[in-house]
Amino acid sequence: MSTPTTQAPGGRGLQGSVRQRRADPLFRVVLAVAASSVLLLLAAMIIRTSIEAWPVFAKEGIWGFLTGTEWSVGTSRSEVTGSYGAWPFIYGTLLISLIAIVFAVPLSIGIALFTNELAPNWIRRPLTSAVDTLAMVPSIVYAFVGMYFFRIEVWAPVGQRIADTPLGEVPFFSGPVLLSSYWSAANILAIMILPIITAICRDVFAQVPADEKNAAYAMGATRWEVMSKIIVPHSFSGIVGGTMLGLGRALGETLAVAVLIGSTRDMTSSVFQPGDAMTALIANTFQDAHPEAIWALLAIGVTLFFITMAVNIVARLIVARVNLRVGGGATV
Amino acid sequence: MDHRTAMARDLDHGQPPDGAPDEQAAQQHAPGTEPAHHAVHISIDQVSVRYGAFTAVRDVCFDVPRNAITALIGPSGCGKSTLLRTINRMNDLVPGATTTGAVTYNGEDIYAEGVDPVEVRRRIGMVFQKPNPFPKSIYDNVAFGPRLNGRKRDLDDLVEHSLRRAALWDEVKDKLAQSGLSLSGGQQQRLCIARAIAVDPDVILMDEPCSALDPIATLRIEELMKDMASEYTIVIVTHNMQQAARVSDLTAFFTVDMDNERQERTGVLVEIDDTDTIFTNASDPRTEAYITGRFG
């Protein structure tokens, strides 16, 4: 074996230049710093807010804070004198987010299936842009449209219809139907999270191999069967991912909820009546709050952060479980 | 050029004659041809496929005999896969594709008004170029089609029968719950054949079924095809001329027709004949040129 040795281009030896040798390690350090800054930022936020909020947690106890239903704000600068039970707000946030998901996910899947599988080209593009545009509308616009139009002309009348059916006998759906309510907040959230879930569904549906769809068609599957038995199951993890992103947005959405939920301290049992949510409470009260109330609001912020994290973990568990069962199925 | 002269020759390959009811249909749909031992199962008449303004394949006429293997060969772009997909109306799924002409299956035009392509595909199965099992268990892959048809009972027997028929049962009987994707390429392709068989079609279209497989897996599939030809009518598209020579009873040669004025390339059928004749004594010089490797 005698391979002729050749000189590197430019006449350099095999050592290369100093600059060349140092480039990689240097680049590695730069990227590592960039990546770790995220962790630092996150840690700083959690620790800082937790420390500020600690007196409230210490007085109420973590469980007491989470489940307590009385929220009466004190005026102290140095100690916790009021009583802080966050359950009405946690309940409100979870309730409206859940309703929003229930409305938005099936609708998004439907829109995405239609755009990807059924729509002719001339309608696909406008439809796609329309959905993407909805994603860019600022929440204050949604809040206004919801407040001056939707809740008056759509949601309250629809809510009244529901309350008039036998379902209205159930306290949860009972009247009177007010304009500002959990129901209105949930509906605006559904509209607001629709674009992101639709966009993700569209992307994951497009990832389903044409081969797999063709295989089903070739066995005599109808379009509906291909969608329900091939495309949607194949995209399950992506749908969960999109749902969780939507849920994340719903949990955190502040402005539109603050405007539409009605902001009452009393927890009402009917969706058609006003309530309050975590973000709405913070937005509506922090400006006039005394220091101890600020601590309590920060405690709410910390709680919201952990709820979001829990949602994320649960989503990952669901996806991992499904992938395990399917074995070799596509992950997103 | 009249392609019909070469249609439906006596195959003389020893398969039993079959399908008496279709003998009449064959006579009706292929007038002026020699009487065939094999009844005509599918008759392709003046079929053209256009994608928008582009004509992929033009004016194809030939008959596919029952319980025989018909191979479609030719250079890339000659429209052979496109033509194959007209037989089970898979081209319907391509946006902008239009098919003209008639494809008669068991005496019925599958492009006639009121024909449901879904029903056509349940009777005319298809195996694809790349093995494409679903990301489901082996069992669920085979049971997929029957379940679509609403079958819930005796699935175990049907799955076993289909896997046996596809010569895969012995290799997978102990791991039916495993993912279909855990199998080797050749096994996956046989799983796809089993899956196609499970809905009980009588025609199976194969679109270059071995092009993604190694030579040993290819041979197994070829043996399987020859074995299946006693029960099924098989139409196979292949790039591999040796494969056509090895497995098929009839070979149709397609080529690309260049229209220099309109700058268009269109697939056309050159001729169809007994495979032996095509490979030893083709009547069209273009066929011979392709087969001997002087072109394509």
Side-chain angles (χ1 to χ4, degrees):
Chain A
M1 254 185 71
S2 61
T3 330
T5 48
T6 49
Q7 280 244 306
R12 274 185 273 113
L14 289 176
Q15 290 80 22
S17 70
V18 175
R19 205 177 133 228
Q20 197 179 335
R21 263 180 291 132
R22 285 190 184 156
D24 256 10
L26 191 73
F27 200 52
R28 186 192 298 236
V29 169
V30 169
L31 293 188
V33 168
S36 48
S37 67
V38 174
L39 294 177
L40 283 174
L41 200 66
L42 193 63
M45 280 172 64
I46 301 173
I47 293 168
R48 195 59 223 243
T49 46
S50 298
I51 289 173
E52 294 283 331
W54 190 249
V56 175
F57 284 124
K59 189 202 166 218
E60 302 285 346
I62 290 179
W63 187 249
F65 179 77
L66 295 179
T67 56
T69 53
E70 203 203 328
W71 185 273
S72 55
V73 181
T75 54
S76 170
R77 298 184 155 271
S78 55
E79 53 183 343
V80 180
T81 58
S83 77
Y84 301 99
W87 177 242
F89 314 108
I90 298 174
Y91 167 80
T93 293
L94 293 181
L95 177 68
I96 59 177
S97 302
L98 212 68
I99 296 175
I101 287 291
V102 168
F103 285 166
V105 170
L107 200 56
S108 301
I109 292 175
I111 296 171
L113 282 175
F114 180 77
T115 27
N116 280 22
E117 299 296 318
L118 297 178
N121 267 330
W122 64 269
I123 203 164
R124 177 174 305 162
R125 277 162 179 274
L127 199 60
T128 307
S129 332
V131 171
D132 293 347
T133 309
L134 275 184
M136 290 184 291
V137 174
S139 33
I140 185 68
V141 176
Y142 279 113
F144 265 59
V145 175
M147 189 161 67
Y148 291 115
F149 168 59
F150 279 129
R151 68 172 182 168
I152 300 165
E153 290 173 39
V154 185
W155 300 329
V158 170
Q160 191 60 55
R161 288 276 171 81
I162 297 174
D164 288 344
T165 64
L167 218 59
E169 302 297 318
V170 184
F172 188 70
F173 292 110
S174 62
V177 178
L178 301 183
L179 288 180
S180 289
S181 60
Y182 292 122
W183 175 248
S184 293
N187 273 292
I188 198 70
L189 282 183
I191 297 175
M192 292 174 78
I193 64 177
L194 188 82
I196 180 78
I197 304 178
T198 305
I200 289 179
C201 285
R202 233 168 32 207
D203 287 352
V204 295
F205 293 165
Q207 301 274 321
V208 177
D211 270 358
E212 237 171 80
K213 291 190 269 180
N214 284 338
Y217 279 125
M219 267 181 283
T222 59
R223 282 188 188 271
W224 160 246
E225 285 162 341
V226 169
M227 289 183 210
S228 63
K229 300 216 160 76
I230 302 290
I231 298 177
V232 170
H234 195 112
S235 313
F236 183 82
S237 52
I239 296 173
V240 172
T243 303
M244 291 306 146
L245 265 179
L247 188 54
R249 177 147 191 216
L251 291 170
E253 173 53 36
T254 307
L255 202 54
V257 173
V259 166
L260 285 164
I261 201 163
S263 298
T264 51
R265 291 297 134 79
D266 315 312
M267 236 172 98
T268 43
S269 57
S270 167
V271 269
F272 300 129
Q273 279 157 37
D276 213 340
M278 301 167 84
T279 52
L281 174 77
I282 297 174
N284 285 335
T285 60
F286 82 97
Q287 276 174 319
D288 307 321
H290 295 276
E292 69 158 301
I294 294 280
W295 304 336
L297 293 181
L298 283 169
I300 292 232
V302 173
T303 311
L304 186 57
F305 173 81
F306 279 102
I307 290 176
T308 323
M309 210 160 75
V311 163
N312 216 320
I313 291 169
V314 169
R316 277 169 198 280
L317 287 178
I318 295 173
V319 170
R321 228 185 133 80
V322 167
N323 285 340
L324 205 68
R325 192 158 52 80
V326 171
T331 48
V332 179
Chain B
M1 148 168 199
D2 186 7
H3 307 301
R4 284 172 172 256
T5 50
M7 288 191 310
R9 292 270 178 85
D10 184 349
L11 295 172
D12 216 12
H13 279 248
Q15 272 101 359
D18 183 41
D22 293 300
E23 206 92 37
Q24 282 182 337
Q27 299 296 324
Q28 281 167 13
H29 286 275
T33 51
E34 300 165 43
H37 283 176
H38 285 263
V40 173
H41 199 177
I42 296 166
S43 176
I44 292 159
D45 189 14
Q46 292 284 324
V47 167
S48 303
V49 181
R50 284 179 200 82
Y51 298 117
F54 165 73
T55 305
V57 62
R58 186 177 63 218
D59 289 344
V60 175
C61 301
F62 68 93
D63 287 355
V64 176
R66 185 181 285 272
N67 293 9
I69 302 179
T70 304
L72 314 183
I73 63 168
S76 296
C78 69
K80 54 194 188 300
S81 286
T82 300
L83 185 84
L84 189 77
R85 282 158 184 270
T86 62
I87 302 177
N88 63 347
R89 293 193 60 170
M90 284 296 278
N91 276 340
D92 290 21
L93 300 168
V94 181
T98 49
T99 308
T100 54
V103 176
T104 311
Y105 160 78
N106 286 342
E108 212 182 326
D109 181 5
I110 63 166
Y111 283 93
E113 211 165 304
V115 170
D116 185 357
V118 167
E119 283 303 320
V120 171
R121 296 185 200 122
R122 285 184 183 172
R123 290 169 175 78
I124 305 180
M126 190 163 201
V127 175
F128 295 82
Q129 190 167 355
K130 209 174 122 243
N132 55 354
F134 300 125
K136 300 173 189 283
S137 72
I138 294 169
Y139 185 99
D140 287 342
N141 260 282
V142 181
F144 184 87
R147 280 179 181 148
L148 284 186
N149 297 348
R151 181 163 171 164
K152 292 196 179 71
R153 294 182 306 129
D154 307 324
L155 271 176
D156 291 358
D157 291 342
L158 182 65
V159 168
E160 177 176 344
H161 174 262
S162 305
L163 285 168
R164 278 191 194 284
R165 201 68 199 81
L168 189 60
W169 174 252
D170 291 332
E171 292 159 63
V172 301
K173 63 184 173 199
D174 299 323
K175 48 178 183 180
L176 292 175
Q178 279 184 26
S179 168
L181 297 167
S182 66
L183 299 174
S184 74
Q187 288 173 326
Q188 287 189 13
Q189 197 60 303
R190 277 179 280 144
L191 177 62
C192 293
I193 293 174
R195 187 176 65 179
I197 293 174
V199 291
D200 198 25
D202 58 359
V203 179
I204 296 177
L205 310 176
M206 297 188 171
D207 190 359
E208 300 185 44
C210 303
S211 63
L213 305 182
D214 65 62
I216 293 170
T218 300
L219 274 181
R220 290 211 62 171
I221 301 270
E222 288 179 4
E223 278 164 22
L224 176 61
M225 282 193 304
K226 282 193 261 191
D227 188 41
M228 284 165 57
S230 60
E231 267 179 81
Y232 302 97
T233 299
I234 296 176
V235 185
I236 174 176
V237 163
T238 177
H239 260 309
N240 180 335
M241 279 184 285
Q242 283 75 32
Q243 181 167 63
R246 281 192 300 262
V247 301
S248 69
D249 303 300
L250 237 71
T251 297
F253 173 66
F254 287 73
T255 194
V256 183
D257 188 34
M258 301 285 283
D259 186 333
N260 288 329
E261 266 175 48
R262 298 178 55 195
Q263 292 286 310
E264 250 192 15
R265 301 159 57 90
T266 303
V268 290
L269 174 68
V270 175
E271 62 179 321
I272 177 166
D273 213 325
D274 287 2
T275 297
D276 291 345
T277 313
I278 288 279
F279 278 88
T280 55
N281 190 19
S283 50
D284 194 293
R286 289 175 291 178
T287 313
E288 206 197 332
Y290 180 74
I291 282 166
T292 52
R294 273 183 279 141
F295 146 72

